[in-house]
Amino acid sequence: MLKLIKYLKPFIGLIIIAIILLFAQAMADLSLPDYMSKIVNNGIQQGGIVNAVPKAIRESQMNKLIIFMKQDDINLVMDSYTLINASSENYAHYIELYPALKNEPIYVLNDIGKSRIDELNPIIGKAFIAVSGVNKIKSKAKNGMIDFNGNKIPANTDLFNFFKNLPQEQRTKISDEMNKQFTALGNKMIIQAAAIPIKAEYEALGVDTEKIQTRYIINTGIKMLLISLISALCIIGVGFLASKTAAGLARNLRMAVFTKVQSFSKAELDKFSTASLITRTTNDITQIQMLIVIIIRTVFYAPIMAVGGIIKALDKSQSMSWVIGVAVISLLILITTVFLTALPKFRVIQNLIDRLNLITRENLSGMMVIRAFNNQNFEEKRFDQANKNLTNTNLLVNRIMAVMFPTMMLIMNGITLLIVWVGAHQIANSSMQVGDMMAFMQYAMQIIFAFLMMSFMFIMIPRASVAAQRIAEVLDTEVKIKDPENPKSSNKKLKGLVEFKNVSFRYPGADEDVLKNISFKALPGETTAIIGSTGSGKSTLVNLILRFYDVTNGQILVDGVDVRDISQNKLRDKIGYVPQKSYLFSGTIESNLKYANENASEADMNEAADIAQAIEFIKEKADGFKSKIAQRGANLSGGQKQRLSIARALIKKPEIFIFDDSFSALDFKTSAVLRKALNEKTKSSTIILVAQRISTVMNAEQIIVLDEGRIVGKGKHKELMKSCKTYQEIALSQLSKEELA
């Protein structure tokens, strides 16, 4: 997988932008539970009152509050408020805000910063709780007496005056005892406990407390909507960038694989089956494309969410951190088990896809042969077996994966119940707020979903890793036939001279040579024919000229230069090749002919088609040279395909023609006429002709007879009839003595 990372270099910019957007999305998503917690805690439970420092307090109420404060705290509080009465400049303004100002002066909070408010929260909050506690004591009077710290006090006693007259130390001690529970719980619980008396104070001032609550909830809700919108825009942006990056990478990989395969010699093509190369170029690259999308979406986002969720959850309640630990450990065990179980199966799946593609391709290519031998049932069974093997393996992997998601949901729901159970006890003990418990639950879900997203990546990585290895195998394959570092130029005086010097050749992995000590010259203006029994090495010999393979020993010279010292492009520019099996591309007759020379004129096409004896059937078609050619020339006969292949080579006008048994599909008459026209039009070119028919090679200036990879005869027809037994046997098996004379 790491070998393919270099193909991501053009997309580094897009990936960085995607990471920035993912970070923004994660921050937005992590902030939503906190706002939800604020709506529950501050908006619903506290009536929109977010701190224990009221904006205004009646003078009578302030006098009660300072009873329960230390002198330094009283000074701080008084410094933070301004007394407003009938003589104040802004009296008219404040009386609209606080109608109770008509009855008594009020203290209005100055414009102080957040740090001062944070400092005042515990001071004023505790004082409000203490005042509220005193009022509760008075409300519980029985039989005209108040029970206070075990002492009976008359119910008509002014407790606030009573406390005011006590020494400062005693007052502080009583105050601390009254709000000891809240002091231990921290500022949040102090503010929540003080919210009720503060709300009562606002009502006493004539303030619409419902409006305060509604405004807070709406404002917080709008913030949540804006954050959700930002998150949605980030998701869209990341999706676009991830798709663009993955699609671009897939495009570049397909081009790299295709270009690499184009450079393969036959040795490399024999190493990889055609079906496997197709799978690697399509299915395997698609697997990597899907992985890149998932990696960009999850490999950066999920860890941010997981770590951020843990931090946020601990901020809400450290006492429940063990719940997060249980969830994370459970998920890691599950993902590791699934990963180790499924990983070995993914390579098997890719190999089975290769096998299925191979059988399908063979079936489609060999359909006529299958029907001719009435073997449809056999092929169906063969395909069915390959299909079943792939299906069963896929089912096994999918069943393993199918177990993971319900198990994750079970863990998630179990964690939810655990949080509710533990959180309910803490809420009952006043050690946690309801909103914090709900936020903790959401953070726990975000952590679990982050691991769930990472599990998708872990599912894709094994399969994509196998696919990447298979692609890397193609890209890392060392091409054995390479251009020389310093290519030589051919002798300009020699045009089309081909010479074999003691050439031997052995296929990779073979035990013995296919060709042994082959030596001959093919001269310009002459036809050199190569004949021999099936398997004698005729096609292998001409493949060596084209450098489809390189010789094992010896040399092949073209125009006086070893073919290994010439660039492949220049070497093949000199050669017009007609393969044993005619191959046409989908398109038109014109596009197939111009495949050899894209600048060929209409006159060139007419001449080549005329020499190849193809002009007649081309003119019979309604569209002439514009007539459509199906894939592999499926809408043409074997003879027509062969003649168009020959015409294609002729349009190139090369110095050397190689015909590898290229007249086998032609009848004797057409073959004779074609060869006669060919000899007339290509007098200056070297013609190397591989054939099995004696009639095709009889008039050649030089005939090479091969038998088991060795030259057993060399000369003209009449000479070989006298001197070469192998040639005689081939000739007499095809023609009578009178025809051979």
Side-chain angles (χ1 to χ4, degrees):
M1 191 73 188
L2 295 176
K3 293 180 180 179
L4 303 182
I5 286 179
K6 62 182 179 182
Y7 290 94
L8 279 172
K9 283 184 180 178
F11 309 102
I12 293 296
L14 295 180
I15 294 171
I16 291 172
I17 295 171
I19 292 171
I20 293 170
L21 290 176
L22 284 169
F23 187 82
Q25 181 196 341
M27 293 300 101
D29 291 345
L30 286 169
S31 66
L32 288 173
D34 194 44
Y35 279 101
M36 181 273 298
S37 172
K38 288 178 180 178
I39 286 177
V40 174
N41 292 339
N42 301 339
I44 297 173
Q45 285 190 297
Q46 296 172 201
I49 297 167
V50 297
N51 55 66
V53 183
K55 292 182 179 179
I57 311 173
R58 290 170 296 161
E59 185 181 28
S60 59
Q61 187 70 6
M62 179 65 86
N63 291 335
K64 292 177 182 178
L65 293 176
I66 62 176
I67 294 171
F68 301 98
M69 298 180 191
K70 297 176 183 178
Q71 188 58 49
D72 290 342
D73 294 339
I74 294 171
N75 295 336
L76 183 64
V77 171
M78 289 304 175
D79 188 48
S80 303
Y81 282 88
T82 300
L83 183 66
I84 305 295
N85 53 36
S87 61
S88 301
E89 290 182 6
N90 297 326
Y91 180 77
H93 169 69
Y94 284 112
I95 204 166
E96 289 181 9
L97 296 175
Y98 310 108
L101 182 57
K102 293 177 182 178
N103 303 321
E104 66 172 305
I106 64 171
Y107 283 93
V108 176
L109 185 67
N110 298 329
D111 186 13
I112 58 177
K114 185 179 181 301
S115 59
R116 175 68 70 87
I117 289 176
D118 290 340
E119 192 176 358
L120 290 172
N121 264 325
I123 298 170
I124 299 178
K126 289 177 184 179
F128 264 111
I129 296 168
V131 170
S132 179
V134 171
N135 289 330
K136 284 182 181 178
I137 291 171
K138 291 178 70 175
S139 66
K140 293 180 180 179
K142 292 181 181 179
N143 300 322
M145 301 298 288
I146 299 170
D147 185 6
F148 180 71
N149 285 346
N151 299 317
K152 299 293 182 179
I153 302 173
N156 59 0
T157 304
D158 186 344
L159 289 179
F160 291 105
N161 275 330
F162 174 76
F163 282 118
K164 188 176 180 180
N165 294 323
L166 290 174
Q168 176 68 45
E169 290 182 5
Q170 195 172 350
R171 281 195 321 231
T172 303
K173 184 178 179 182
I174 293 170
S175 175
D176 289 345
E177 284 291 330
M178 292 174 72
N179 48 40
K180 183 178 180 181
Q181 177 184 6
F182 296 101
T183 303
L185 297 176
N187 284 352
K188 281 187 178 181
M189 296 306 296
I190 291 172
I191 293 169
Q192 184 174 334
I196 296 172
I198 290 173
K199 185 178 180 182
E201 178 63 19
Y202 279 150
E203 288 173 350
L205 286 167
V207 176
D208 187 350
T209 54
E210 289 187 3
K211 190 175 180 181
I212 293 174
Q213 183 177 32
T214 303
R215 188 189 302 122
Y216 181 85
I217 292 173
I218 289 174
N219 289 341
T220 308
I222 290 171
K223 289 178 184 177
M224 291 182 73
L225 285 173
L226 290 174
I227 291 169
S228 298
L229 181 61
I230 291 169
S231 178
L233 291 174
C234 290
I235 290 169
I236 293 169
V238 171
F240 173 77
L241 294 171
S243 299
K244 192 173 178 65
T245 301
L249 174 67
R251 177 198 62 210
N252 293 348
L253 279 177
R254 279 193 294 269
M255 180 56 71
V257 172
F258 183 81
T259 304
K260 184 72 175 185
V261 172
Q262 289 287 89
S263 70
F264 280 0
S265 66
K266 281 206 169 188
E268 285 82 45
L269 289 172
D270 292 341
K271 178 182 175 183
F272 301 99
S273 70
T274 304
S276 179
L277 286 173
I278 291 171
T279 305
R280 291 169 198 246
T281 310
T282 53
N283 182 272
D284 288 353
I285 290 177
T286 301
Q287 295 293 332
I288 292 174
Q289 181 176 348
M290 292 169 62
L291 177 67
I292 292 300
V293 173
I294 291 174
I295 282 179
I296 293 175
R297 285 293 301 125
T298 63
V299 80
F300 302 113
Y301 178 74
I304 295 171
M305 286 297 292
V307 174
I310 291 170
I311 293 170
K312 290 277 190 178
L314 294 178
D315 181 58
K316 291 297 177 187
S317 174
Q318 292 187 4
S319 61
M320 288 204 297
S321 58
W322 62 273
V323 177
I324 301 294
V326 170
V328 171
I329 292 170
S330 302
L331 290 169
L332 287 175
I333 292 171
L334 175 65
I335 291 170
T336 304
T337 304
V338 170
F339 184 79
L340 294 176
T341 308
L343 178 61
K345 300 297 178 185
F346 286 113
R347 180 173 288 278
V348 175
I349 286 173
Q350 295 306 107
N351 291 333
L352 289 173
I353 291 173
D354 280 353
R355 175 67 180 166
L356 190 66
N357 282 344
L358 175 66
I359 292 172
T360 304
R361 191 170 183 276
E362 285 182 347
N363 199 283
L364 294 173
S365 301
M367 185 64 72
M368 296 302 104
V369 177
I370 293 167
R371 288 177 180 172
F373 285 92
N374 213 18
N375 265 342
Q376 290 94 325
N377 290 336
F378 172 77
E379 289 298 324
E380 284 177 11
K381 288 177 182 177
R382 194 161 73 109
F383 178 85
D384 187 51
Q385 186 60 48
N387 196 19
K388 280 182 178 177
N389 290 340
L390 178 59
T391 302
N392 291 337
T393 309
N394 268 320
L395 282 173
L396 177 61
V397 172
N398 289 334
R399 283 176 187 137
I400 294 170
M401 298 306 171
V403 170
M404 186 171 69
F405 299 110
T407 308
M408 278 198 164
M409 293 304 294
L410 179 65
I411 292 171
M412 187 168 65
N413 292 329
I415 292 298
T416 303
L417 289 173
L418 192 59
I419 291 170
V420 172
W421 184 71
V422 175
H425 284 80
Q426 293 194 3
I427 290 169
N429 296 331
S430 298
S431 60
M432 190 179 206
Q433 293 177 289
V434 175
D436 288 347
M437 186 197 75
M438 294 173 68
F440 188 92
M441 190 184 304
Q442 285 202 5
Y443 286 128
M445 294 306 101
Q446 285 180 332
I447 294 165
I448 292 171
F449 274 116
F451 278 93
L452 186 63
M453 284 189 287
M454 283 190 281
S455 72
F456 281 119
M457 185 180 67
F458 290 135
I459 291 167
M460 290 297 300
I461 281 177
R463 189 166 187 175
S465 177
V466 171
Q469 288 173 16
R470 285 158 53 85
I471 293 166
E473 282 177 12
V474 176
L475 296 175
D476 293 343
T477 297
E478 187 178 352
V479 180
K480 293 183 178 178
I481 297 179
K482 301 177 183 177
D483 284 338
E485 292 183 6
N486 299 305
K488 296 180 180 178
S489 299
S490 56
N491 191 335
K492 293 182 179 179
K493 294 180 181 179
L494 303 173
K495 288 193 176 181
L497 175 64
V498 179
E499 182 178 3
F500 277 63
K501 285 187 175 181
N502 299 317
V503 170
S504 295
F505 174 72
R506 178 180 301 186
Y507 283 106
D511 294 329
E512 59 181 30
D513 293 341
V514 178
L515 297 175
K516 302 153 191 165
N517 299 319
I518 304 295
S519 296
F520 69 89
K521 284 185 180 181
L523 302 176
E526 293 185 0
T527 298
T528 299
I530 301 169
I531 194 169
S533 58
T534 302
S536 59
K538 305 184 295 298
S539 294
T540 302
L541 188 145
V542 296
N543 284 337
L544 294 176
I545 301 172
L546 287 154
R547 281 199 82 194
F548 291 159
Y549 297 102
D550 269 341
V551 298
T552 305
N553 293 302
Q555 282 183 306
I556 299 174
L557 307 177
V558 171
D559 294 340
V561 181
D562 194 315
V563 293
R564 290 170 291 188
D565 295 330
I566 309 172
S567 71
Q568 295 175 69
N569 190 40
K570 286 187 176 180
L571 172 66
R572 289 164 188 165
D573 268 347
K574 293 175 174 286
I575 300 171
Y577 176 58
V578 184
Q580 189 173 7
K581 188 176 182 181
S582 302
Y583 194 98
L584 299 178
F585 299 92
S586 57
T588 62
I589 293 174
E590 180 182 1
S591 67
N592 272 276
L593 295 181
K594 285 188 173 182
Y595 197 80
N597 180 9
E598 61 182 12
N599 299 317
S601 63
E602 190 172 345
D604 292 333
M605 289 192 293
N606 275 299
E607 183 184 16
D610 186 43
I611 296 171
Q613 306 303 301
I615 195 69
E616 186 177 339
F617 81 80
I618 292 173
K619 286 182 175 179
E620 287 175 358
K621 293 182 176 291
D623 297 325
F625 285 100
K626 300 291 184 182
S627 299
K628 295 290 183 184
I629 298 290
Q631 186 180 11
R632 301 175 67 92
N635 57 340
L636 299 176
S637 69
Q640 289 172 333
K641 286 194 286 186
Q642 208 161 58
R643 280 177 277 174
L644 287 178
S645 294
I646 293 168
R648 181 171 60 195
L650 290 169
I651 277 184
K652 192 175 182 181
K653 297 179 181 178
E655 297 173 10
I656 303 165
F657 283 98
I658 296 177
F659 298 98
D660 187 2
D661 203 8
S662 306
F663 306 101
S664 57
L666 305 180
D667 58 76
F668 285 101
K669 181 181 177 182
T670 304
S671 177
V673 174
L674 192 156
R675 281 184 282 109
K676 183 180 178 182
L678 191 64
N679 289 333
E680 290 175 358
K681 297 291 183 180
T682 59
K683 287 182 179 179
S684 62
S685 300
T686 302
I687 297 176
I688 298 175
L689 177 64
V690 174
Q692 292 186 2
R693 290 182 187 171
I694 287 294
S695 59
T696 304
V697 304
M698 281 176 62
N699 297 319
E701 283 78 8
Q702 179 180 221
I703 302 171
I704 308 293
V705 185
L706 290 180
D707 185 31
E708 295 184 357
R710 297 181 184 276
I711 294 178
V712 293
K714 187 191 303 182
K716 293 187 178 182
H717 169 69
K718 289 185 178 180
E719 295 171 357
L720 292 171
M721 284 300 293
K722 294 177 182 178
S723 61
C724 182
K725 185 177 180 182
T726 303
Y727 186 79
Q728 290 171 10
E729 289 174 354
I730 295 170
L732 291 172
S733 68
Q734 296 179 18
L735 300 173
S736 64
K737 288 184 179 181
E738 291 76 12
E739 291 171 314
L740 292 168

